[in-house]
Structure formats: structure tokens, C-alpha cells
Amino acid sequence: MNVKWGLTLLILFIVTGCSADDSEQVEYQTETSTDQEEDFTLEVSTPVEVKTGDTFVIEQKLTYNGTKELLIVHGDPAIRSKIINENGEEVDTGIYYVDHALITEFTQGKSIKLEENFTLNESGNYEIHTSALFHKTDDLEGSNLISTFDMLIQPIKIHVSN
């Protein structure tokens, strides 16, 4: 009887040890690129090597480093990434941005953070292009634009393999 229980436990350990856990997030080596313009820093981090069909995350952050409080007029989202294939064409990722203006008050150290999930189903080389377009204003209606910022990150190259 003890041998029967022992064999049953051994089989259970083998089966549970060999089963795949689909809930695990795949970790990839990432690259981070930044752009600094006056009192703002735009930063993007993305994997540089992914597998076809795997979902990966592009992390984006716009940080205000100035000391004075100010109002910013920006789109929603404030930071946007697009993926360009080897032929120089934008990949349809199913993410469509709606252009409407938001006004955000910035104080020193305030950040806008955004994480977007992408899945690429074709192997090849791609580039991640990230930008932030916003305007300083001095009123809550955003009608008096003081200056414009069009920040662009140097494209990050990624490779997608089977």
C-alpha cells in the first residue's frame, strides 16, 4: 500500500513540475533612450529582442524638472509610440489615438507615465518611434499658448524572431 501512495505522489510531482505556467511574464533585455528639452525629460524603455506573438511593454515617461508650477496643454495620451517595419511603414498595432486636448498642472518632479502593450506577429527588424507634443500655457482654458515642445526620442531598434 505504501508503494502505491509513493508512486502516486511521485507521478503528481513529475506532472506538476513539468506543466507550463502561462501566467508568467516573459522578461526581455530592454533599452532606454531619453531626450532632454529645457525643463522636460522624455524617456522610453522597450525590449530589444522579442518573440513573435509575445506581448511586450513599452514604458514611457515625461518628467518636469523645472521649479515653477506651470500648465501644459497636451493630447491624450501625452506620449505616443509607433512601430516602423523594415520597409519604413508604420505597423498597425490596433492602437488609435484620439486627438483632444487636456490641461495638466506640472510641479517639480511631476511625471506622466504610460505603459503600452504591443504584440508583433511577423519576425523582422523594427524601430520604436516615441514622441511628446505639448504646449505651455498660462490659463486653464489653454487659449494662450506660450511655447511649444515637440520632443522626439532617437528610435530604438528591436528584433522580432520566431
Side-chain angles (χ1 to χ4, degrees):
M1 189 73 144
N2 285 337
V3 173
K4 197 181 222 183
W5 278 107
L7 284 173
T8 303
L9 284 174
L10 179 63
I11 291 171
L12 282 173
F13 285 132
I14 291 172
V15 169
T16 57
C18 293
S19 67
D21 184 3
D22 291 338
S23 65
E24 289 184 29
Q25 178 83 16
V26 178
E27 293 292 324
Y28 294 109
Q29 178 185 351
T30 61
E31 182 177 325
T32 301
S33 185
T34 60
D35 182 28
Q36 179 86 31
E37 195 169 314
E38 288 188 25
D39 293 331
F40 293 92
T41 302
L42 179 60
E43 180 179 298
V44 63
S45 294
T46 185
V48 293
E49 180 82 29
V50 297
K51 299 275 187 205
T52 56
D54 283 355
T55 299
F56 62 95
V57 177
I58 298 177
E59 298 174 353
Q60 305 155 59
K61 181 167 69 169
L62 177 66
T63 304
Y64 175 59
N65 305 310
T67 56
K68 298 178 182 177
E69 290 184 9
L70 58 94
L71 297 172
I72 295 296
V73 178
H74 60 86
D76 186 20
I79 310 165
R80 300 175 181 199
S81 286
K82 60 183 175 182
I83 300 175
I84 306 297
N85 66 18
E86 293 171 315
N87 299 323
E89 301 164 333
E90 185 174 347
V91 175
D92 182 2
T93 59
I95 296 176
Y96 304 99
Y97 300 115
V98 177
D99 282 329
H100 66 276
L102 298 177
I103 298 177
T104 301
E105 183 177 352
F106 274 84
T107 56
Q108 185 175 19
K110 178 168 180 153
S111 295
I112 295 176
K113 297 178 185 177
L114 178 65
E115 290 186 355
E116 291 183 296
N117 296 316
F118 293 93
T119 304
L120 294 172
N121 295 316
E122 293 184 25
S123 60
N125 295 308
Y126 296 84
E127 289 184 344
I128 306 297
H129 291 240
T130 302
S131 63
L133 174 65
F134 54 95
H135 313 275
K136 283 185 186 179
T137 185
D138 60 2
D139 63 30
L140 287 173
E141 289 78 38
S143 59
N144 185 29
L145 303 180
I146 299 169
S147 59
T148 298
F149 294 84
D150 190 1
M151 300 180 74
L152 300 170
I153 293 283
Q154 183 71 25
I156 298 176
K157 296 180 184 313
I158 67 169
H159 179 73
V160 179
S161 60
N162 294 324

